[in-house]
Amino acid sequence: MPPIPPLPSVTVVLDRHDDVLQTHTALAAHHPPSGRITLHPGPGTTGETGLAHDLLVALGKPPLLPGRFPGGRQPAWEAATAWMTALPVTRLTVLRAHRLTARRTMRLLQLQARTGIHLTLVCHRPHLPAALHQALRTADYSVTADIEAARRHYYGTPTAEPPPADEPAAPARRWLTLPALDRLVSYDSPRPCTAPCTPPPIAWRHRPPPAPLTAPTAQRVAHRLHAATAHPRLAAAVAAALITGASLQQLATARPRDYDTAAATLALHDRARYTDGCAAHPVPPWASVFLRAAACFTRLVSGEDQELLAAPGDRTYLLHVAETARLRPPQPPAARRKGPAGRVEWDWRERQEAEKYEAMPVRRAWSSRR
């Protein structure tokens, strides 16, 4: 294995006179597509979880994670770490660092240790406060009070601003109807493999493969999923459903080891062959960010033997994320709707198949009487 590169030194910027130019310069550097995040902690909060929520918001995500968690503790730091590992984030600038408690600063240092980001702390005081000084005792750090030196840390080298990446518009309210979601609530019952399993590439013998998303559609889907939830596993489950056409039960068979980053494949298991058996599915680049985040998050929270994606008990949360992103399967015509107008009917394909099978004996009986 190649040697692990050393962590970059933490930079402390002393803004001696709380100059508005320092704050504006740091805020102007915020551009996630270029790998730069500027965090402006919310006033009046001192808890560690609140700082993680602020970081998720800076990453363009809702601050809260849906679902139930052991001990009632929301794994916000684990989620922030996972997203910063998966996304091309290389620089984190934290304003108002003189207000950080020692524990909050330690959280940021742990985040740097796990992600390798360049961390810059902006202290709007002429001297380091005691809490910040205490937390930095074990860190390699440097101090500067020069605005140009600070700018280089906010932007990186070179200081010339690259042209901004094309960013899609804010998530539209228009639904994206995606046939690959037809089987998401299917009631097949595959189980994860207990013994080591290296599935072959998917052969699609029993059902047609889902149509690959066009580049513009994939961009819209990715943008909507990023904005819909901070939960890496739920976002990754929706992305995986779109590239595999699998049900939630089969998605839940995947473990972190089933996502092969180098080969860009996701293995799903089905020893009883309810569908296509155990098989490895190719992962397109747009979906790989979500799977990388889910793998990192699961290892931080649960370990290798827990679900990589949403579990069957997460069905309500998963569908809510998809609906928040305005993603749905094809819907029944108005005359055949079972629910109120405007509500997504996720089981329309299942109902169609059930009605077809129920009608078959009637047709046979009618044919035998002729």
Side-chain angles (χ1 to χ4, degrees), residues 156-172:
T157 304
T159 56
E161 176 70 359
D166 291 334
E167 294 184 63

Side-chain angles (χ1 to χ4, degrees), residues 12-215:
V12 178
V13 175
L14 289 181
D15 177 16
R16 300 180 186 279
H17 306 293
D18 199 2
D19 190 347
V20 68
L21 179 62
Q22 270 290 10
T23 300
H24 285 178
T25 302
L27 290 174
H30 178 80
H31 191 244
S34 298
R36 302 190 304 268
I37 301 294
T38 299
L39 173 61
H40 199 298
T45 61
T46 57
E48 299 167 57
T49 301
L51 185 62
H53 289 166
D54 290 338
L55 182 53
L56 289 171
V57 171
L59 289 166
K61 302 187 174 302
L64 301 178
L65 275 70
R68 296 183 298 272
F69 303 103
R73 186 187 74 84
Q74 195 176 96
W77 277 105
E78 290 84 350
T81 302
W83 288 118
M84 294 192 73
T85 300
L87 292 167
V89 176
T90 57
R91 293 186 171 270
L92 174 62
T93 298
V94 183
L95 292 167
R96 303 290 155 190
H98 60 278
R99 294 179 177 172
L100 294 174
T101 63
R103 291 181 63 85
R104 279 184 151 197
T105 307
M106 289 303 300
R107 279 290 195 178
L108 292 170
L109 294 175
Q110 291 167 6
L111 177 70
Q112 186 208 24
R114 285 173 171 161
T115 61
I117 57 169
H118 184 106
L119 178 62
T120 301
L121 304 174
V122 185
C123 179
H124 305 270
R125 292 290 185 274
H127 306 286
L128 288 182
L132 190 58
H133 187 270
Q134 176 188 355
L136 289 171
R137 282 187 304 176
T138 58
D140 177 20
Y141 73 96
S142 61
V143 180
T144 183
D146 180 70
I147 181 65
E148 290 305 319
R151 189 193 307 272
R152 287 193 294 271
H153 289 295
Y154 303 153
Y155 282 91
T157 304
T159 56
E161 176 70 359
D166 291 334
E167 294 184 63
R173 300 312 298 163
R174 183 176 66 84
W175 286 97
L176 285 178
T177 300
L178 303 166
L181 295 176
D182 260 336
R183 295 188 61 252
L184 186 58
V185 298
S186 181
Y187 295 105
D188 53 15
S189 302
R191 295 280 189 270
C193 291
T194 54
C197 176
T198 306
I202 181 73
W204 303 110
R205 294 190 181 92
H206 305 292
R207 58 189 174 102
L213 302 183
T214 64

Side-chain angles (χ1 to χ4, degrees), residues 198-204 244 258 264-269 277-283:
T198 306
I202 181 73
W204 303 110
T244 65
D258 289 316
T265 58
L266 172 66
L268 300 179
H269 300 275
C278 300
H281 298 254
V283 178

Side-chain angles (χ1 to χ4, degrees), residues 82-83 85-88 218 222 225-226 232 235-236 239-240 243 259-266 282-296 308-309:
W83 288 118
T85 300
L87 292 167
L225 280 179
H226 276 301
I243 64 176
Y259 174 53
D260 188 330
T261 307
T265 58
L266 172 66
V283 178
W286 73 265
S288 63
V289 170
F290 298 102
L291 288 169
R292 286 200 304 268
C296 178
L308 168 66
L309 308 170

